[in-house]
Amino acid sequence: MTEVTLSNVVKKYGKHQAVHGIDLGIHDGEFVVLVGPSGCGKSTTLRMIAGLEEISGGEIAIGGRVVNDLPPRERNISMVFQNYALYPHMTVRENLGFSLKIAKRPVDEIAKSVAEAAGILGLDELMERKPAELSGGQRQRVAMGRAIVRHPDVFLFDEPLSNLDAKLRTQMRVEIKKLHQKVGNTIIYVTHDQVEAMTLADRIVLMRDGHIVQVGTPLDLFNTPVDTFVATFIGSPPMNLVDGEVSGGTLSLNGGIELSVPASARSLVRDGQKVRFGFRADNLMPVGHSVEEEGETAELDLSVTLTEPLGTETLLFADLAGVEVQAKMFNPRPVAPGEAMKFRLMLDKTHVFDAASGKAIRG
Ligand code: ADP
């Protein structure tokens, strides 16, 4: 069993505190993605788990064993980095087996492990090539193969796809997910890309300024963000946010449009409370071009300012009480800028946040 447990883990660089006492329990076989904006402390956290960075406080346990003072090689982890420097003068086979050779493993054991990793990653045809003769994606697969051959308890990935172009990144994402399904190891994966986090993770750990803001499944974070930071970080396009004020069960948006306060927040808001009203583009759709119409809705007449056709749907930018919001048009037809359209807002899918704290108000 290889759970990874962080208890009140702190990292200080001199006076600067990069990680503020985080607690996190990762289950055996779980794929956990640490995500957040640049500088939020995700790489530092991963490097502390790997043993590449000393911890300034707290405790890290891998498989029930406290590893605070163990060097990286005794933690039974494998790390795949963004710069997956392969040895240029070695073949793929030699690159794959190198760490086992250094560890003086028997020759037949090395051959078996290398063959197994090559099979899992589809490298069989490439074994005698040198890195210069491989594509970016193939090199990344060799880098992952190098991690697999050691049969680690935990894989640590530090932004492994950020050097690849968009198309290759999508392909490799699928390969990493397949790899996890095949080998079933615990994976801790760092990225700044919310799409990678959403598509790969069993659970996402969203960090900001050295703190964990929210931990949950991708859909937990998407559907029930704890604050406006999560609401706008997770999901594309980001959630629309419009300032509003509550008065007698009515929400007045930006001094213009009035709506009834969504049921999820109705009993929790007070008169005069300043809020931020949030909704996703998917839940504001032109009448006649929408999907899923169950639940409470509100009709809004809005003027379209810009369109972005995406094929199956068109993203519409529209003016809502002076704020530019994004809406989705399904079964799209051409829309001219300036066109006034009737929209339906799925009120049950909307969010209310306290304006001062940014925290979700949800029953
Ligand atoms: P992320 O991976 O989320 O981009 P990092 O974990 O790399 O963030 O960094 C977290 C914070 O710690 C940042 O403010 C960064 O500047 C700081 N930091 C990281 N490494 C060092 C270091 N070796 N010395 C001093 N400060 C560092």
Side-chain angles (χ1 to χ4, degrees):
M1 293 293 280
T2 315
E3 312 90 346
V4 178
T5 313
L6 278 64
S7 311
N8 198 20
V9 170
V10 173
K11 179 67 190 182
K12 290 181 187 155
Y13 292 109
K15 279 191 187 149
H16 176 68
Q17 190 153 346
V19 176
H20 293 264
I22 57 173
D23 294 301
L24 180 64
I26 296 169
H27 313 305
D28 184 39
E30 197 175 23
F31 197 140
V32 164
V33 178
L34 308 182
V35 68
S38 176
C40 70
K42 48 196 189 299
S43 294
T44 299
T45 302
L46 194 76
R47 293 171 62 81
M48 288 192 288
I49 297 170
L52 299 172
E53 204 73 73
E54 266 186 42
I55 66 176
S56 317
E59 192 175 277
I60 298 179
I62 300 177
R65 186 172 61 137
V66 175
V67 298
N68 287 16
D69 300 320
L70 287 187
R73 64 184 140 65
E74 289 175 28
R75 297 188 180 199
N76 208 19
I77 45 109
S78 270
M79 192 140 170
V80 181
F81 295 94
Q82 181 182 128
N83 300 312
Y84 39 83
L86 302 177
Y87 300 108
H89 57 286
M90 291 185 198
T91 63
V92 168
R93 186 189 305 283
E94 288 162 346
N95 263 289
L96 289 175
F98 189 66
S99 67
L100 298 177
K101 195 170 157 192
I102 292 293
K104 301 206 164 47
R105 308 305 306 169
V107 174
D108 53 343
E109 182 195 315
I110 298 178
K112 187 162 165 264
S113 277
V114 167
E116 192 182 71
I120 289 172
L121 290 161
L123 294 168
D124 296 299
E125 310 292 314
L126 308 171
M127 296 300 267
E128 308 314 325
R129 292 205 200 164
K130 301 264 176 71
E133 299 164 304
L134 301 175
S135 70
Q138 289 167 337
R139 277 182 219 158
Q140 184 57 270
R141 269 193 270 150
V142 178
M144 288 198 279
R146 273 198 318 200
I148 294 180
V149 290
R150 297 171 48 212
H151 294 290
D153 292 330
V154 184
F155 285 116
L156 305 177
F157 286 88
D158 193 1
E159 303 256 6
L161 307 184
S162 25
N163 283 346
L164 306 178
D165 65 45
K167 190 166 173 205
L168 200 50
R169 222 163 36 225
T170 314
Q171 283 171 12
M172 290 307 296
R173 223 164 57 202
V174 175
E175 295 214 12
I176 291 175
K177 201 154 185 174
K178 282 186 182 157
L179 172 70
H180 182 241
Q181 285 173 1
K182 278 185 198 159
V183 298
N185 292 53
T186 309
I187 294 185
I188 310 175
Y189 186 108
V190 161
T191 180
H192 62 276
D193 179 353
Q194 64 91 19
V195 177
E196 255 173 55
M198 288 290 282
T199 49
L200 286 172
D202 293 324
R203 274 194 309 157
I204 294 178
V205 177
L206 179 49
M207 296 183 67
R208 182 190 200 184
D209 297 337
H211 296 274
I212 293 176
V213 184
Q214 189 168 5
V215 180
T217 65
L219 289 181
D220 285 340
L221 270 67
F222 186 82
N223 291 325
T224 51
V226 295
D227 61 18
T228 50
F229 170 72
V230 182
T232 50
F233 192 87
I234 298 287
S236 176
M239 186 182 285
N240 296 298
L241 290 175
V242 183
D243 290 332
E245 190 169 334
V246 176
S247 168
T250 301
L251 188 55
S252 165
L253 294 182
N254 224 18
I257 292 170
E258 298 205 331
L259 299 170
S260 56
V261 177
S264 59
R266 210 165 283 162
S267 63
L268 300 170
V269 289
R270 42 183 172 70
D271 260 8
Q273 185 169 3
K274 300 231 188 310
V275 298
R276 304 197 79 192
F277 178 64
F279 58 91
R280 297 200 181 274
D282 313 58
N283 302 124
L284 178 67
M285 297 165 283
V287 173
H289 294 271
S290 57
V291 292
E292 192 205 3
E293 299 253 339
E294 282 167 34
E296 215 178 326
T297 60
E299 283 204 355
L300 301 170
D301 291 304
L302 306 178
S303 164
V304 174
T305 52
L306 187 107
T307 67
E308 277 188 352
L310 301 171
T312 316
E313 70 223 21
T314 291
L315 201 57
L316 302 178
F317 292 68
D319 179 86
L320 192 161
V323 180
E324 186 168 76
V325 296
Q326 298 182 48
K328 271 199 186 158
M329 178 185 215
F330 296 90
N331 298 315
R333 64 163 173 80
V335 177
E339 186 174 333
M341 297 181 84
K342 199 173 274 305
F343 286 83
R344 191 163 286 142
L345 177 63
M346 313 300 297
L347 267 186
D348 290 349
K349 297 272 176 67
T350 64
H351 304 260
V352 182
F353 303 95
D354 178 65
S357 66
K359 299 262 182 267
I361 304 171
R362 187 182 297 121

